[in-house]
Amino acid sequence: MVSYEVGSRSTGWLLAISIALFLILDLSLLGLNFRITKEVSEDALVINLAGRQRMLTQRMSKVAFQIDPEQVSSPESKVLMTRFHDAYWLFTKTLDAFYYGGEIRDAELNTVTINRINIPEARDILFHARKLSLHLAPLIKTITDKGLTGTSLAKVKKILVSTDEEMLGMMNRLTVIVEKNSKQKTRTLRMIQLVTFCLALLNFAEIIRLFRKIHNQSKDMVSILDALFQSTNAALIVFSADQRVLMSNQFACHFLGYSARELKNMNRNALLLEGSGKDGSEKCLTIDGKEIDVEVNERTVIHKGNKLSVLTIMDISTHVERERNDPLTGIQNRHALSLALDIKSEQVQTIGGRFACFFLDLDNFKVINDQYGHEAGDNVLKCFAGRLKHTLRDSDLIYRFGGDEFIILVDLTADNKSIDSIFQKLDSMMRQPFSLSSLISVRLSLSAGVAVYPDDTTDTDELLNMADRSMYRTKNGTKKEIVYQQIS
């Protein structure tokens, strides 16, 4: 009798410790989810600001070379010089924020605080970029104090010509480095999350074992375990060896739309569409036939010689939608582009084929924002994205790269007829004006560049850079190697 009580007390303590540990691990999973979301948001801000640096580099050159040396005192020149000064100020302040950390204005001109970038390679780029940008500082101070002259303008243009291409290349590399670092951090956090989840499942299995052991000693233990199972903030489903539902919690019933009785003995294939997501993720099928993106973590448990599968199903549809789609235009964003490039490059390496990467940039788009406001600019971007979706084929993949830049991925046959066809469609599409209101419409031109995988490169980051450089040469008219010409 004494040994029985001691064993019962010992088992009770073990169960209590296991429950506490399970709750700790469950809260840790929740905390990791919050941390991943927070770091992805912070990294997205830094990536957007890094992309903006490249746009600011181009903007400074554009504005400086629009100033007529013979009319440096004209009102138009003063306006252009003010724009140049604003772009330079924002560019250097952002570099300082990246290097030291601090406050900076984002794309909506809101003040945000960012941490310093600690990646060694990125810091080397930032150090050199800050050093290059300081070449303009004395000239800008002189112009601010004494006004713009033909001589000072010539010096500004000379410095820009000598540093612009190098600065643009550094900002491109900085963006790529920050993006890669963000992916690595996310993968690391996911791995930690997976390890934590496995520990939680092992602990959950131990709870099951202890519960079975003391089942005949106290029926209260049944209610404790059931409460633990039901209170978990994720859908939990246990499958038998033949993949039929043995038990499920209330969260799973609510999530899938079934009652516990309806779920019992349902086949796993009727609930989960494995590998059905575009990036290999899984989808859940609800009672009304709706497919939902989910993250599924599975643990196998052997109980009395029977093999059980314990699945934790977490709804990630909102996160997937936010992560892949651009909120303004509704088309996919640069994160989705990165996934698509990885998938398409793997397909080419595995089964062959080719695809083209088009880099599009709306010319003088800033004028729309300056003259008619950012709402008008946003409407133009939404209209442009809508035209792309309507004009191109369903198989042509469209992405918003940032600002007024867009990417198109097009599968190619042995020849390049699809490339010519895309350029013709773009030319026809841009001949129609963009309506800003019932009384105002404008015509915009488009610069485009293209690079082909694997003909030009087998590195997807370099593929984007080559298409970008090709577009940039077309915009400046320095090399007409692209069939597509700017629309007048």
Side-chain angles (χ1 to χ4, degrees):
M1 184 66 179
V2 173
S3 62
Y4 173 82
E5 290 180 350
V6 171
S8 176
R9 189 183 306 115
S10 174
T11 303
W13 275 107
L14 287 174
L15 182 60
I17 292 172
S18 297
I19 292 174
L21 183 58
F22 183 88
L23 292 174
I24 291 172
L25 292 171
D26 192 45
L27 290 173
S28 298
L29 281 172
L30 184 62
L32 281 171
N33 279 332
F34 278 114
R35 181 178 175 183
I36 290 171
T37 302
K38 182 176 181 294
E39 294 212 5
V40 167
S41 299
E42 290 175 351
D43 288 342
L45 174 61
V46 174
I47 291 169
N48 287 335
L49 290 175
R52 186 180 70 179
Q53 290 295 87
R54 182 171 56 79
M55 296 173 62
L56 289 173
T57 301
Q58 296 172 326
R59 184 183 302 172
M60 286 188 287
S61 295
K62 289 179 183 178
V63 171
F65 282 93
Q66 286 176 352
I67 300 176
D68 188 346
E70 303 298 326
Q71 299 182 12
V72 292
S73 299
S74 66
E76 292 79 8
S77 296
K78 292 180 180 179
V79 171
L80 289 171
M81 197 61 210
T82 299
R83 293 177 183 172
F84 177 87
H85 180 273
D86 292 343
Y88 176 78
W89 180 89
L90 187 56
F91 181 85
T92 55
K93 290 298 181 183
T94 304
L95 283 180
D96 289 342
F98 283 162
Y99 198 80
Y100 297 109
E103 294 184 345
I104 191 62
R105 289 185 299 175
D106 61 13
E108 287 76 33
L109 301 182
N110 297 319
T111 299
V112 294
T113 302
I114 60 175
N115 297 319
R116 57 176 278 176
I117 298 176
N118 290 316
I119 310 168
E121 186 179 358
R123 292 194 66 78
D124 290 341
I125 292 174
L126 290 170
F127 177 82
H128 190 48
R130 291 176 69 249
K131 186 176 180 181
L132 278 183
S133 67
L134 290 177
H135 291 173
L136 283 170
L139 272 174
I140 293 178
K141 187 177 185 307
T142 300
I143 293 170
T144 302
D145 295 340
K146 300 180 179 180
L148 182 65
T149 65
T151 302
S152 59
L153 177 61
K155 291 180 180 180
V156 169
K157 291 182 178 179
K158 182 178 179 181
I159 291 175
L160 288 174
V161 169
S162 65
T163 62
D164 184 68
E165 185 173 354
E166 183 180 4
M167 186 69 79
L168 186 61
M170 287 191 294
M171 294 303 100
N172 282 332
R173 293 199 303 277
L174 177 64
T175 303
V176 171
I177 291 169
V178 173
E179 286 181 333
K180 286 184 177 179
N181 183 66
S182 175
K183 292 179 183 178
Q184 182 59 45
K185 283 198 298 184
T186 301
R187 283 195 293 267
T188 302
L189 285 172
R190 290 293 185 192
M191 183 60 66
I192 296 172
Q193 185 185 41
L194 180 59
V195 171
T196 305
F197 172 75
C198 289
L199 291 174
L201 277 181
L202 287 171
N203 193 65
F204 181 75
E206 179 64 9
I207 292 173
I208 295 291
R209 187 186 70 81
L210 293 172
F211 174 77
R212 295 297 185 187
K213 182 178 180 179
I214 65 173
H215 177 69
N216 294 327
Q217 300 174 3
S218 174
K219 290 185 178 181
D220 290 339
M221 287 298 179
V222 177
S223 61
I224 293 175
L225 183 58
D226 183 69
L228 175 64
F229 188 75
Q230 297 298 339
S231 64
T232 302
N233 59 345
L236 278 176
I237 302 178
V238 180
F239 289 94
S240 62
D242 61 353
Q243 299 303 302
R244 294 193 175 276
V245 177
L246 290 179
M247 59 187 299
S248 57
N249 66 352
Q250 294 176 1
F251 196 103
C253 296
H254 177 74
F255 178 63
L256 297 172
Y258 295 96
S259 66
R261 180 176 295 180
E262 289 172 331
L263 271 178
K264 189 115 183 218
N265 292 322
M266 284 189 66
N267 191 278
R268 177 170 176 162
N269 293 334
L271 301 174
L272 286 172
L273 307 176
E274 297 183 345
S276 55
K278 291 183 178 180
D279 56 353
S281 63
E282 297 189 35
K283 289 183 181 291
C284 242
L285 193 62
T286 65
I287 192 171
D288 56 4
K290 182 180 179 181
E291 295 182 3
I292 302 176
D293 288 289
V294 294
E295 180 178 308
V296 178
N297 293 293
E298 181 174 356
R299 173 68 183 173
T300 300
V301 178
I302 305 299
H303 178 66
K304 292 185 178 180
N306 297 319
K307 182 179 178 181
L308 306 179
S309 298
V310 183
L311 270 64
T312 299
I313 304 171
M314 289 175 281
D315 183 1
I316 61 169
S317 56
T318 302
H319 175 71
V320 168
E321 186 70 17
R322 182 172 62 250
E323 193 175 66
R324 294 178 182 172
N325 287 351
D326 174 57
L328 176 64
T329 62
I331 63 176
Q332 297 190 84
N333 59 18
R334 66 191 302 156
H335 176 72
L337 169 65
S338 178
L339 292 175
L341 285 172
D342 289 343
I343 292 172
K344 292 185 75 66
S345 62
E346 289 178 5
Q347 289 176 342
V348 170
Q349 293 170 14
T350 303
I351 62 177
R354 307 159 66 232
F355 68 89
C357 174
F358 292 82
F359 201 114
L360 313 182
D361 180 80
L362 288 171
D363 298 324
N364 298 319
F365 176 74
K366 185 177 181 299
V367 176
I368 301 297
N369 285 330
D370 291 343
Q371 292 187 3
Y372 303 103
H374 287 280
E375 183 177 353
D378 289 347
N379 289 335
V380 168
L381 291 176
K382 288 188 283 189
C383 181
F384 179 73
R387 289 186 184 182
L388 285 176
K389 290 190 289 187
H390 179 74
T391 302
L392 302 179
R393 302 169 301 180
D394 291 340
S395 59
D396 300 331
L397 306 179
I398 309 166
Y399 306 87
R400 186 184 179 195
F401 193 68
D404 59 342
E405 297 173 336
F406 294 80
I407 301 292
I408 305 173
L409 300 182
V410 178
D411 290 326
L412 301 177
T413 55
D415 54 38
N416 290 331
K417 291 182 179 180
S418 295
I419 294 179
D420 297 333
S421 174
I422 293 293
F423 283 140
Q424 290 170 5
K425 290 178 180 179
L426 293 174
D427 183 86
S428 175
M429 182 185 80
M430 294 302 293
R431 293 185 185 279
Q432 298 297 321
F434 291 85
S435 296
L436 304 184
S437 68
S438 59
L439 300 176
I440 302 174
S441 62
V442 296
R443 293 197 64 198
L444 292 176
S445 59
L446 182 70
S447 294
V450 65
V452 178
Y453 186 102
D455 300 18
D456 297 325
T457 180
T458 56
D459 184 282
T460 54
D461 292 330
E462 180 59 21
L463 183 74
L464 283 173
N465 288 334
M466 292 179 72
D468 183 20
R469 293 196 295 270
S470 177
M471 178 278 294
Y472 196 68
R473 287 193 295 269
T474 302
K475 182 181 289 289
N476 290 336
T478 57
K479 187 174 183 182
K480 298 298 183 182
E481 65 177 26
I482 303 303
V483 176
Y484 182 75
Q485 303 293 326
Q486 294 187 21
I487 302 172
S488 59

